[in-house]
Amino acid sequence: MSERKPEAEPEPPSEHTPDDRGPGAGQGRAPGTVHAAGQSGGVREVKSAARAVELLEVLAARGDRPARLRELAEELGVPRSSMYALLQTLIDRGWVRTDVTGSLYGIGIRALLTGTSYLDTDPRVRAARPHLDEASQALGETIHLGRLDGFDVAYLATRESHEYLRTLSRVGRRLPAHAGALGKALLADRPDEALPPGPLEALTARTHTDPAGLAADLAGVREAGYAVDREEGVTGIAGFGFALRYDRPALDAISCSVPVARLTAAHERQIIGVMRETRERIEAESGRVEGGADWR
């Protein structure tokens, strides 16, 4: 593939150094730093790999808002010459795509292929899928499977309700853990010292923004054994979240989402009962999973 230089942003003079970011560049970002080997033993970071991962994470987080060279260079603290070279390398390999002018950049198709492989090769996701189907059929509601990633929850599987068309989430989407039943079920399996620091992001008028209020809510989650979110993540939607206890602290959880307009007391009891049974079946199935790596 021939390289196309941005029309509005010509490539600046070359500034190639082993690490030409300023001190502290890239610090404070979400988990995802790439290291040469593991997270222990004092192995130094492979900075070129870290930079590529950070770039892909930035592009993925922008969704349908493509980025310009200058924006990416400024956000990552990288000279534009180095960012341009990195973008061209990733474009050639399908990880980044560009428009016909060569001045706008977005996430490429290789990211989709890799994400699909993650789901297809995870034995716990595979084991949970038929039970998510059963729960969705029994309740007529949307069922999710999510995994904690830092202070966010990543959605690994979703079974949409046929009763309403509004899409609440999709596989691969990330939401703050404090703002929904899935995340609160997982945070409750951890000590309060491990909770996200404030101020917490508000997704709706009902989202917890104060860590003290969140901690009080999680104390109730531990006592009940499940989490309830009443329009904390999405206005008009309630959620019921159940941590999957095959890991301690739990990394995965399931939830049921339902419009508050048709959530009766009887239906709420039905949801809790079905989701408890679904959790027990998934936990039992996970215990029978054999072969493959034990991903931690």
Side-chain angles (χ1 to χ4, degrees):
M1 180 185 296
S2 60
E3 295 186 358
R4 291 173 295 178
K5 297 183 179 180
E7 293 182 351
E9 300 180 78
E11 183 181 359
S14 177
E15 302 177 39
H16 297 293
T17 62
D19 180 27
D20 39 22
R21 294 180 298 173
Q27 294 181 0
R29 298 181 58 79
T33 301
V34 176
H35 295 273
Q39 297 178 347
S40 61
V43 178
R44 69 176 181 84
E45 181 179 76
V46 178
K47 293 178 180 178
S48 59
R51 181 177 296 170
V53 170
E54 289 170 359
L55 171 60
L56 293 173
E57 289 178 342
V58 167
L59 291 174
R62 291 179 67 93
D64 61 355
R65 296 180 298 111
R68 294 185 178 275
L69 173 63
R70 180 180 291 105
E71 294 175 309
L72 295 171
E74 290 177 353
E75 182 159 356
L76 295 181
V78 177
R80 280 191 289 161
S81 60
S82 298
M83 179 56 67
Y84 180 75
L86 177 57
L87 285 166
Q88 291 303 316
T89 299
L90 294 175
I91 288 170
D92 288 343
R93 286 159 176 77
W95 286 92
V96 172
R97 59 181 172 176
T98 187
D99 71 334
V100 293
T101 70
S103 62
L104 296 175
Y105 302 95
I107 198 73
I109 195 169
R110 288 288 175 182
L112 170 63
L113 301 178
T114 300
T116 301
S117 177
Y118 178 90
L119 296 174
D120 289 344
T121 58
D122 190 294
R124 287 174 171 171
V125 174
R126 187 167 57 248
R129 283 172 175 156
H131 303 292
L132 303 181
D133 292 335
E134 292 171 2
S136 182
Q137 292 168 5
L139 295 171
E141 307 295 354
T142 298
I143 309 298
H144 305 292
L145 169 68
R147 179 165 294 164
L148 195 65
D149 180 21
F151 293 133
D152 293 336
V153 169
Y155 284 79
L156 304 180
T158 293
R159 300 295 183 264
E160 295 285 355
S161 168
H162 298 297
E163 298 295 326
Y164 57 100
L165 300 178
R166 183 179 181 183
T167 299
L168 301 175
S169 64
R170 60 185 182 275
V171 172
R173 185 184 182 189
R174 293 161 60 97
L175 289 178
H178 69 273
L182 265 178
K184 290 198 299 180
L186 291 167
L187 291 178
D189 213 36
R190 288 155 173 78
D192 288 347
E193 306 82 67
L195 298 182
L200 303 173
E201 179 185 1
L203 300 187
T204 74
R206 294 176 178 261
T207 307
H208 286 294
T209 57
D210 176 27
L214 175 63
D217 188 351
L218 297 181
V221 173
R222 296 181 189 108
E223 182 176 352
Y226 60 92
V228 181
D229 134 39
R230 301 188 189 277
E231 302 184 84
E232 296 170 31
V234 180
T235 300
I237 300 295
F240 300 83
F242 296 74
L244 298 173
R245 301 160 298 188
Y246 41 63
D247 291 313
R248 300 313 296 261
L251 294 174
D252 299 344
I254 56 173
S255 72
C256 174
S257 297
V258 56
V260 295
R262 56 186 182 84
L263 180 60
T264 64
H267 192 32
E268 183 168 333
R269 290 192 295 271
Q270 180 193 23
I271 289 171
I272 294 169
V274 169
M275 294 302 289
R276 277 177 171 156
E277 293 175 0
T278 301
R279 168 169 64 183
E280 292 171 359
R281 289 198 294 270
I282 292 174
E283 289 173 345
E285 184 75 17
S286 179
R288 293 194 291 268
V289 171
E290 297 180 358
D294 183 12
W295 300 110
R296 299 288 178 176

